[in-house]
Amino acid sequence: MHNITLINGDGIGPEISDSVVKIIKASGLDINWDIQSAGADVIEKEGTPLPQRVLDSIKKNRVALKAPVTTPIGKGFRSVNVQLRKSLNLYANVRPCKNLPGIVTRFDSVNLVIVRENTEDLYAGVEEKIDENTAHSIKIITRQASERICRFAFEYALKNNRHEVCAVSKANIMKLSDGLFLESYRNVAKDYPQIKQKEILVDNLCMQLVQNPEKFDVLVLPNLYGDIVSDLAAGLIGGLGVAQGANIGDDCAVFEPVHGSAPDIKGQNKANPTALLLSAVEMLRYIEEYSYADKIEKALFKTLTQGYKTFDLGGELSTTEFRDKIIENLV
Ligand code: ATP
């Protein structure tokens, strides 16, 4: 029996996590979910959107599945997601992006993986208001974090039979910060002669991704470019409803979809649970439950191929109807 932390989130979080938990249970795998609430709903009672108990639970269990959590705007709270990644040193954000069966998009050969640095860059939260008309945000890039994420990307490529790792930057303009990222990539790349190397500027990457996405394999990026390019890549395969992700560190890992809490469709039984389900499938592989991961993935793919979809993909099924079709397809 596995002990896994479940952050069921807010917005559409509780609806999609309920579906995913039920699908995993129906697959026959027994998981002892340690349910930890976080976000806007716990602030009043606990004074913070990310109580220490949540971090303690993940540290103890080493694995968590996380639905989206909203960070209230303008109330002085740092993003729960950023805080979680920093507190647990989840330095690698991994977002595989591959066409799914039954979901028709402009391209049919997208198969890339985004490896995003998760701890620094403009997300370090170092901002200051100089005067009424001027504000500074400091972009922090260190050799240690850059080499660590590049090494992670090359190791990921090796383990997952990928042939190329491409470094993304804007080093022609930010010569010192992005220049250091690129220098770190080149240093690490020397240890992986069997993996093809490539460098690209982030603006050129965006253009090429919407023209020839099949040209890319593993991309390694500093935090902010990684955030933006992830959403672009999600659009290539059918949108946020199907884009999975994981935050991985040396001691623990948190699996979560790329999308946010989508408050506009909260409580309407309309949300697509696919992104969270695919994140959970990767989580099962991480804990080496390969047969259950394959079984659930197969049932999801079969359901999509049969034409069953939620509204974000042009379908008519509710979250729970879609969940039940997946459960019917578990064999
Ligand atoms: P954040 O800033 O927290 O990342 P965001 O502003 O990017 O959030 P999201 O909540 O990720 O916004 O989603 C943007 C829109 O995409 C939502 O308003 C919703 O309409 C749609 N969306 C996101 N996730 C899903 C989903 N799982 N199912 C259906 N629609 C979704």
Side-chain angles (χ1 to χ4, degrees):
M1 167 96 88
H2 298 279
N3 293 315
I4 296 178
T5 303
L6 175 67
I7 300 174
N8 50 10
D10 47 37
I12 58 170
E15 300 163 55
I16 57 174
S17 45
D18 181 64
S19 285
V20 169
V21 165
K22 289 198 168 115
I23 293 166
I24 295 176
K25 190 168 172 48
S27 78
L29 180 63
D30 234 353
I31 290 181
N32 180 24
W33 297 104
D34 179 2
I35 300 173
Q36 296 287 333
S37 48
D41 297 349
V42 307
I43 294 176
E44 203 172 310
K45 222 165 126 202
E46 303 185 57
T48 165
L50 183 63
Q52 185 60 37
R53 61 173 167 75
V54 182
L55 299 172
D56 290 343
S57 163
I58 301 173
K59 277 184 195 155
K60 188 172 105 224
N61 296 323
R62 300 168 76 92
V63 184
L65 182 64
K66 177 181 163 294
V69 171
T70 320
T71 299
I73 298 170
K75 288 195 186 152
F77 295 108
R78 284 196 66 191
S79 155
V80 171
N81 302 321
V82 174
Q83 224 179 311
L84 190 71
R85 293 168 192 173
K86 281 202 96 170
S87 313
L88 297 171
N89 203 14
L90 304 170
Y91 60 86
N93 189 270
V94 184
R95 293 173 167 179
C97 216
K98 193 174 169 189
N99 283 114
L100 296 171
I103 300 182
V104 180
T105 57
R106 285 190 179 81
F107 304 98
D108 56 13
S109 48
V110 182
N111 184 4
L112 55 90
V113 181
I114 292 175
V115 177
R116 164 186 171 192
E117 204 288 324
N118 232 354
T119 63
E120 54 180 26
D121 193 356
L122 281 158
Y123 284 71
V126 188
E127 285 197 295
E128 58 177 339
K129 191 97 186 237
I130 305 300
D131 60 40
E132 206 195 328
N133 303 310
T134 315
H136 287 176
S137 287
I138 312 287
K139 171 169 165 132
I140 295 175
I141 299 285
T142 66
R143 187 183 302 281
Q144 191 257 350
S146 302
E147 287 196 354
R148 183 174 61 178
I149 195 68
C150 291
R151 191 165 298 284
F152 182 96
F154 278 103
E155 287 293 326
Y156 181 95
L158 274 185
K159 275 189 211 114
N160 292 279
N161 298 318
R162 297 274 174 172
H163 68 277
E164 179 184 275
V165 174
C166 173
V168 184
S169 76
K170 188 75 185 169
N172 56 337
I173 302 296
M174 275 155 284
K175 294 181 195 299
L176 299 182
S177 53
D178 281 14
L180 180 56
F181 182 82
L182 209 50
E183 187 186 319
S184 306
Y185 166 82
R186 289 175 188 158
N187 280 342
V188 170
K190 286 183 201 142
D191 296 339
Y192 300 89
Q194 63 279 57
I195 306 282
K196 231 175 114 194
Q197 293 156 32
K198 183 149 106 186
E199 297 173 6
I200 192 164
L201 296 176
V202 65
D203 42 353
N204 184 11
L205 170 73
C206 290
M207 186 194 67
Q208 294 209 32
L209 276 177
V210 297
Q211 288 191 319
N212 306 104
E214 71 286 348
K215 277 176 39 185
F216 296 95
D217 192 0
V218 177
L219 299 168
V220 62
L221 310 91
N223 209 339
L224 182 63
Y225 307 144
D227 183 35
I228 297 166
V229 173
S230 297
D231 272 32
L232 188 159
L236 296 174
I237 57 158
L240 286 172
V242 299
Q244 59 169 305
N247 299 292
I248 299 178
D250 291 331
D251 303 318
C252 45
V254 175
F255 293 80
E256 63 174 343
V258 171
H259 65 74
S261 57
D264 54 328
I265 54 166
K266 169 188 173 177
Q268 297 175 28
N269 198 18
K270 273 172 90 172
N272 188 349
T274 301
L276 184 66
L277 185 61
L278 285 170
S279 308
V281 164
E282 275 316 303
M283 179 191 79
L284 296 183
R285 295 198 170 114
Y286 182 84
I287 59 170
E288 300 181 348
E289 289 289 0
Y290 300 106
S291 63
Y292 288 102
D294 292 348
K295 183 174 174 180
I296 294 168
E297 191 178 64
K298 238 170 93 187
L300 168 69
F301 289 175
K302 186 168 173 198
T303 307
L304 292 170
T305 309
Q306 288 168 331
Y308 295 118
K309 290 179 187 107
T310 44
F311 90 103
D312 55 308
L313 297 174
E316 282 169 0
L317 262 53
S318 66
T319 311
T320 46
E321 287 166 338
F322 184 64
R323 172 200 73 196
D324 291 344
K325 290 289 174 199
I326 299 171
I327 291 175
E328 273 172 38
N329 281 328
L330 283 167
V331 276

